């Protein structure tokens, strides 16, 4: 039987602080987004990821992976957001299996209204209470943990293989915009 490496007191303190801070911050962000814009935290993150992507679009599988969400969960959220006109789906002419989520102009407009309050909440509740050294340590430590978890066998390779589509953005090239 393998020897269990229990958390020491400092590790327990860090783990408890991390999980509690994450839950409290996420709850506050969700409440504000719901109250002011009718959005869930995941919907906000979808729009934020798409806004930063080339042509404001991402392959659904890549977006699900980036958000650490299931493909079916993302499909449901995209469907809800599509009904509201915030995103649309686009197929890939060279790969029938590929579907892209595209942020519409209405989605950009809503994100531009929601982002200032979102950032204000994150800054007020998280970054304003930390020193620059603590922010750097947080980013370095969580960045390393994220890399370790994300770089599981085959995961990085599979995500990289799903990001291209020849003939991508045929609609945009034709002058059709969301």
């Amino acid at each position: 039987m393998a020897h269990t490496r229990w958390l020491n007191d400092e590790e327990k303190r860090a783990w408890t602080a991390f999980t509690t801070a994450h839950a409290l911050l996420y709850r506050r962000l969700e409440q504000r987004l719901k109250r002011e814009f009718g959005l869930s935290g995941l919907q906000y993150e979808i729009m934020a990821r798409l806004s930063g992507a080339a042509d404001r679009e991402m392959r659904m599988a890549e977006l699900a992976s980036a958000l650490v969400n299931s493909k079916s969960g993302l499909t449901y959220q995209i469907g809800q957001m599509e009904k509201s006109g915030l995103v649309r789906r686009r197929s890939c002419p060279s790969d029938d299996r590929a579907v892209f989520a595209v942020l519409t102009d209405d989605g950009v407009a809503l994100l531009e209204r929601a982002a200032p309050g979102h950032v204000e909440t994150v800054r007020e509740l998280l970054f304003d209470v930390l020193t620059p050294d603590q922010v750097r340590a947080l980013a370095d430590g969580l960045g390393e943990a994220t890399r370790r978890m994300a770089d599981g066998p085959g995961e990085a390779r599979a995500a990289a293989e799903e990001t291209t589509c020849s003939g991508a953005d045929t609609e945009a090239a034709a002058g059709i915009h969301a």
Side-chain angles (χ1 to χ4, degrees):
M1 179 176 258
H3 173 70
T4 301
R5 293 178 37 214
W6 299 107
L7 300 179
N8 65 35
D9 288 344
E10 191 67 9
E11 291 166 335
K12 282 189 263 185
R13 188 172 79 83
W15 175 246
T16 300
F18 168 74
T19 58
T20 303
H22 174 267
L24 290 170
L25 180 59
Y26 195 81
R27 181 180 304 143
R28 293 283 289 277
L29 291 168
E30 279 271 328
Q31 289 169 341
R32 185 171 192 164
L33 288 168
K34 278 282 188 211
R35 181 179 66 248
E36 295 179 12
F37 303 101
L39 291 172
S40 70
L42 179 56
Q43 290 169 338
Y44 177 88
E45 289 300 322
I46 289 168
M47 293 191 312
R49 295 289 177 132
L50 291 174
S51 75
D55 297 322
R56 300 185 326 210
E57 67 177 32
M58 288 177 77
R59 192 173 180 146
M60 293 280 285
E62 179 186 5
L63 183 57
S65 178
L67 294 168
V68 191
N69 199 284
S70 69
K71 290 178 188 177
S72 62
L74 179 65
T75 298
Y76 173 78
Q77 290 298 325
I78 293 293
Q80 296 302 304
M81 295 171 76
E82 208 169 19
K83 290 176 188 173
S84 301
L86 302 174
V87 298
R88 66 179 176 81
R89 287 180 241 214
R90 178 183 74 75
S91 60
C92 176
S94 64
D95 183 354
D96 291 339
R97 298 168 299 157
V99 176
F100 288 77
V102 182
L103 186 64
T104 65
D105 291 341
D106 287 347
V108 170
L110 181 58
L111 182 61
E112 288 173 350
R113 290 192 313 273
H118 191 268
V119 170
E120 177 185 308
T121 301
V122 170
R123 179 167 298 290
E124 174 190 343
L125 298 177
L126 181 62
F127 293 112
D128 286 351
V129 301
L130 301 175
T131 67
D133 287 341
Q134 289 171 323
V135 171
R136 209 171 0 272
L138 180 66
D140 290 347
L142 293 178
E144 189 56 39
T146 298
R147 275 188 291 285
R148 183 173 186 166
M149 289 182 267
D151 288 343
E155 290 182 37
R157 185 183 68 250
E161 291 171 357
E162 294 186 10
T163 59
T164 59
C165 169
S166 60
D169 209 16
T170 305
E171 294 172 356
I176 300 170
H177 301 284

